[in-house]
Amino acid sequence: MEIHRSPRVTLIGRPQFIEPAHLPVTWQGESSDGERLAEFAGRLCYMSQHNPANRTTAEYLQNILKQGHGSVFEHAQYVLLLEGISRSCSHELVRHRAGFGYCLAGDTEIYSEHRWGGKRNGATRRTIREIFDMSKTPHGRSRLKLLRLRSLDEATGEFTSGRVKAVARSGVKPVFRVELEDGKTITCSKDHRLLTANGWERLEDIVGLEVTSASTAAWSRKDAEVLVNGISAVHDRDWLSHHYHDLGLDQKTIAELAGVSTQTVRSWVRKHHLQKPAGSWTSGRTPWNKGRRYNGGWHHSDATRAALSLAKQGERNPQWRGGITRDAIAIRRQAENLRLAAFQRDDHTCRLCGRRGGRLTIHHVIPIWSRRDLACELGNLATVCRSCHFSLNGRELEYVEQLGGTLGELGPAAGPRIGRGNLMVARKRRVVSVTYAGEQETYDIEMEGPHHNFVANGIVTHNSQLSQRYVDESHAAFVMPPAVQGDAQLEQEWETQVAEAQAAYVTAVEHLMNRYEWVESKVHRRKMAREAARSVLPNATEVKIVVSANVRAWRTMLELRLGEGAEQEIRRLAVEILKVLKTEAPHLFGDFEIYRADDGADAGRVGFHKV
């Protein structure tokens, strides 16, 4: 069993500055490309390319740091390979999202789900640049919170939706255009991770990408495949076979899971040739009408007539008008008496877009059709502007939590409206071409858990971190926490615990491989076994991660993680990162100082805060 006691940091990517011939700059002193790039960006802001003061690059950047004009540092990117860090440490690291790991071109389309009555009703496509622009204004940020981007549940292989946590831009990077056999394309950096049958892999590893000196892309793996946007679950033969034959579910239950009709399930069972032997569906079942006798004619009982009437009430009636009935109008008139109180409580401000004043109205957070008893409760009324109110119509449940309510408050009538919708699963598509697309502005989106991925241009994308789901951890290395090191007894106890966890992982994979024998694909069977067995692995399991960030983002991360109050492992990592970056670009990180803290470990301090 391999044990790491300290992290390893390797610089694998640095900026390349190409001076434009029509905007020559007068340089003074020694400097790296990243430092010159930052200086050029700063001088361009003030049209001072000729450097009349004859200041060196070091002096110029020192002045930038003093002024706090840190935006010019966002153009210089440094890519580091981090090894010998634990999974818990990597989770802390990826929380520093601003400026880190962005590798999608600005015109990449992102899918946001629409739902109506609990059913998936198409998707809106926005470019990642448009989503970033939304995050720049108060109104845009309020709308951003309502977006539900399409993402993949890796545990089930089914598509769901997730909330956006943050959107950021990180400057210009070399990118490559990837085309798939079905015509889908995505433009991303070579270290961007895409989902394959073997797990999350970087683009350059998936296709064997090499960049020539002439800036052309050469790739060797012509059989490479990635997972793309889903198809309806019942259209996927493996999914349908698993639920119909292996799990023994009836077609009605499968239809409810997939969000389709029973007739649709029956049709696809025939198309996939998955029919069960004649009569097998009746085994062990009693017909619902066995022993009953019937009389001709229409002789419904009072109970039957009441049931038929109930079946056509409310939204189940073909003439349903969204609850606009005489009774509903009377209820709304009573709620009108609370309008002024709601406005005063909310300071005459729309609770969705944040706009104060204008044409305001009140909105029931929990809809009347769901909880009639809350129709005249002030706490269930929210102030919204007229334009936001229009966007709420027919989509009330999507805004319940945004307006301060909870889905747990919904009544029974809300059941059908919050169903799973038409279920979709991922599919594989082969890569047919990879071409160099030059240097472009890049962006990325951080998704809230549990699924940290999203669909971009129809392709499932993620961040550049090793996935325990698909990787074989039978020979995994582990990272010993600094707090344990130096105490022989604690080290022995810790090594025993992680050894037992690794042994439990190996045993679990073996047993699960046997359990999933019904899966025809050995690759898929191994994936299913590893993803279930990984739950026994500790947070001390080693992670290798490629991190790309601009100088401003690196400075922010280092300022937060070098302090004595930071967790010991990530502080130790931050010290090693600073040593590498300070050697590479001393004028950009020269105001950082490493010192020995009272606890005996290295720490750091910065001269210019929050640049």
Side-chain angles (χ1 to χ4, degrees):
M1 181 176 64
E2 184 179 357
I3 296 177
H4 294 283
R5 294 175 177 268
S6 60
R8 179 179 180 181
V9 179
T10 307
L11 179 69
I12 60 174
R14 59 167 61 94
Q16 179 182 9
F17 176 63
I18 303 174
E19 183 176 331
H22 64 290
L23 289 175
V25 178
T26 303
W27 304 105
Q28 299 290 337
E30 295 293 330
S31 58
S32 65
D33 273 16
E35 293 163 336
R36 290 193 175 193
L37 179 59
E39 181 179 2
F40 176 81
R43 291 193 180 282
L44 189 65
C45 290
Y46 302 105
M47 298 302 294
S48 58
Q49 289 90 343
H50 297 298
N51 192 8
N54 292 321
R55 285 186 296 187
T56 65
T57 298
E59 293 171 336
Y60 184 87
L61 295 178
Q62 181 81 357
N63 186 54
I64 290 291
L65 290 170
K66 289 180 180 179
Q67 295 177 359
H69 187 31
S71 60
V72 300
F73 295 147
E74 296 182 9
H75 299 285
Q77 296 274 330
Y78 291 95
V79 185
L80 301 181
L81 169 62
L82 309 182
E83 301 172 280
I85 64 173
S86 69
R87 192 159 189 83
S88 59
C89 181
S90 71
H91 286 174
E92 287 295 311
L93 180 64
V94 298
R95 291 173 61 189
H96 297 276
R97 295 287 302 178
F100 276 79
Y102 312 126
C103 39
L104 292 176
D107 59 355
T108 303
E109 290 186 336
I110 310 300
Y111 294 61
S112 58
E113 297 281 7
H114 284 183
R115 289 180 179 271
W116 174 264
K119 299 294 184 182
R120 184 175 285 109
N121 187 29
T124 296
R125 299 184 182 185
R126 297 177 176 86
T127 67
I128 197 169
R129 184 185 295 109
E130 291 173 341
I131 295 178
F132 173 77
D133 291 340
M134 291 174 64
S135 68
K136 299 292 102 179
T137 64
H139 178 69
R141 286 192 291 270
S142 68
R143 309 305 296 170
L144 191 61
K145 294 178 181 178
L146 303 177
L147 293 186
R148 298 296 180 267
L149 303 191
R150 185 175 298 172
S151 59
L152 181 68
D153 184 343
E154 297 178 49
T156 63
E158 300 165 356
F159 281 97
T160 179
S161 58
R163 298 173 182 265
V164 176
K165 188 174 182 180
V167 191
R169 177 178 61 191
S170 65
V172 177
K173 295 179 66 175
V175 292
F176 300 84
R177 184 177 185 272
V178 182
E179 183 178 355
L180 307 183
E181 58 183 320
D182 59 356
K184 289 186 176 65
T185 63
I186 188 169
T187 303
C188 60
S189 62
K190 65 180 181 179
D191 58 353
H192 188 62
R193 291 195 306 156
L194 305 176
L195 187 57
T196 71
N198 296 320
W200 294 103
E201 296 184 43
R202 297 184 302 170
L203 173 63
E204 61 180 334
D205 296 329
I206 295 173
V207 300
L209 179 64
E210 293 184 2
V211 184
T212 67
S213 57
S215 295
T216 59
W219 56 294
S220 56
R221 291 187 54 189
K222 305 303 181 181
D223 58 343
E225 294 179 323
V226 297
L227 294 186
V228 302
N229 208 3
I231 58 173
S232 179
V234 294
H235 296 180
D236 185 84
R237 190 181 190 280
D238 291 338
W239 185 92
L240 188 57
S241 175
H242 174 55
H243 287 76
Y244 191 43
H245 287 278
D246 303 322
L247 299 182
L249 301 181
D250 58 38
Q251 294 182 3
K252 181 179 179 181
T253 302
I254 295 175
E256 292 175 352
L257 288 174
V260 297
S261 67
T262 306
Q263 289 77 10
T264 300
V265 174
R266 185 177 300 116
S267 173
W268 282 96
V269 165
R270 288 196 300 268
K271 291 179 180 179
H272 292 314
H273 304 290
L274 296 175
Q275 298 97 323
K276 294 181 179 180
S280 61
W281 68 274
T282 62
S283 178
R285 303 187 183 189
T286 302
W288 66 272
N289 60 349
K290 183 177 181 179
R292 294 189 180 186
R293 301 181 65 181
Y294 298 89
N295 295 321
W298 298 95
H299 301 289
H300 294 311
S301 65
D302 292 341
T304 301
R305 283 195 292 270
L308 292 173
S309 175
L310 183 63
K312 292 297 182 180
Q313 287 185 3
E315 63 180 332
R316 294 181 290 274
N317 193 294
Q319 302 300 319
W320 173 252
R321 297 176 58 204
I324 305 177
T325 63
R326 292 180 180 178
D327 190 30
I329 292 173
I331 292 174
R332 284 177 170 83
R333 283 175 179 169
Q334 297 175 23
E336 284 294 311
N337 298 327
L338 301 173
R339 175 189 291 264
L340 182 58
F343 288 173
Q344 292 175 342
R345 181 201 60 198
D346 295 334
D347 193 26
H348 296 271
T349 302
C350 175
R351 284 167 61 174
L352 283 179
C353 68
R355 184 180 304 167
R356 193 174 190 276
R359 303 182 65 181
L360 300 176
T361 186
I362 54 176
H363 169 73
H364 287 85
V365 179
I366 304 298
I368 296 177
W369 51 260
S370 174
R371 290 287 300 276
R372 180 172 174 173
D373 58 310
L374 298 179
C376 298
E377 292 287 337
L378 180 61
N380 191 43
L381 298 177
T383 303
V384 295
C385 66
R386 188 174 181 84
S387 60
C388 288
H389 199 223
F390 282 133
S391 68
L392 289 168
N393 293 334
R395 302 170 58 191
E396 296 93 343
L397 296 185
E398 297 182 24
Y399 293 82
V400 169
E401 294 180 345
Q402 174 70 14
L403 293 172
T406 63
L407 296 178
E409 299 177 76
L410 297 174
R417 289 174 170 252
I418 56 175
R420 298 179 62 181
N422 300 331
L423 190 64
M424 297 194 302
V425 293
R427 51 183 171 173
K428 295 184 292 185
R429 287 295 179 266
R430 186 171 58 86
V431 177
V432 296
S433 72
V434 181
T435 55
Y436 180 61
E439 294 189 349
Q440 299 184 27
E441 194 78 57
T442 55
Y443 304 80
D444 195 23
I445 297 174
E446 179 184 8
M447 299 290 291
E448 290 187 358
H451 314 303
H452 298 284
N453 64 72
F454 55 94
V455 175
N457 280 9
I459 301 172
V460 185
T461 68
H462 205 286
N463 298 308
S464 300
Q465 181 177 343
L466 178 67
S467 170
Q468 284 183 329
R469 181 184 180 199
Y470 301 126
V471 175
D472 183 12
E473 299 285 8
S474 302
H475 303 285
F478 298 90
V479 178
M480 181 177 290
V484 172
Q485 296 179 22
D487 187 310
Q489 182 178 352
L490 286 177
E491 289 187 4
Q492 181 60 42
E493 292 174 353
W494 181 87
E495 291 182 14
T496 301
Q497 291 168 357
V498 296
E500 291 174 350
Q502 189 174 45
Y505 170 84
V506 174
T507 301
V509 170
E510 294 175 353
H511 292 171
L512 288 165
M513 286 289 285
N514 294 332
R515 181 178 184 183
Y516 291 135
E517 283 185 337
W518 53 268
V519 180
E520 296 181 6
S521 170
K522 186 176 181 180
V523 172
H524 187 53
R525 182 163 68 250
R526 185 167 54 247
K527 176 188 69 175
M528 296 172 67
R530 289 174 181 172
E531 70 183 5
R534 64 178 171 163
S535 60
V536 304
L537 291 173
N539 276 337
T541 308
E542 186 210 10
V543 167
K544 295 179 175 66
I545 179 172
V546 174
V547 181
S548 172
N550 62 57
V551 171
R552 195 179 197 179
W554 279 124
R555 288 183 59 90
T556 300
M557 176 267 175
L558 291 172
E559 182 174 351
L560 293 174
R561 298 303 188 178
L562 281 170
E564 296 183 33
E567 190 272 330
Q568 288 185 348
E569 184 183 356
I570 200 166
R571 192 210 323 186
R572 183 176 60 182
L573 174 64
V575 169
E576 297 303 314
I577 290 175
L578 176 58
K579 291 177 181 178
V580 171
L581 294 178
K582 200 168 182 178
T583 301
E584 172 67 21
H587 303 326
L588 295 174
F589 297 93
D591 58 320
F592 282 93
E593 175 190 357
I594 298 175
Y595 66 94
R596 181 71 65 173
D598 293 338
D599 59 6
D602 285 343
R605 59 173 67 97
V606 63
F608 300 102
H609 297 272
K610 299 181 180 179
V611 174

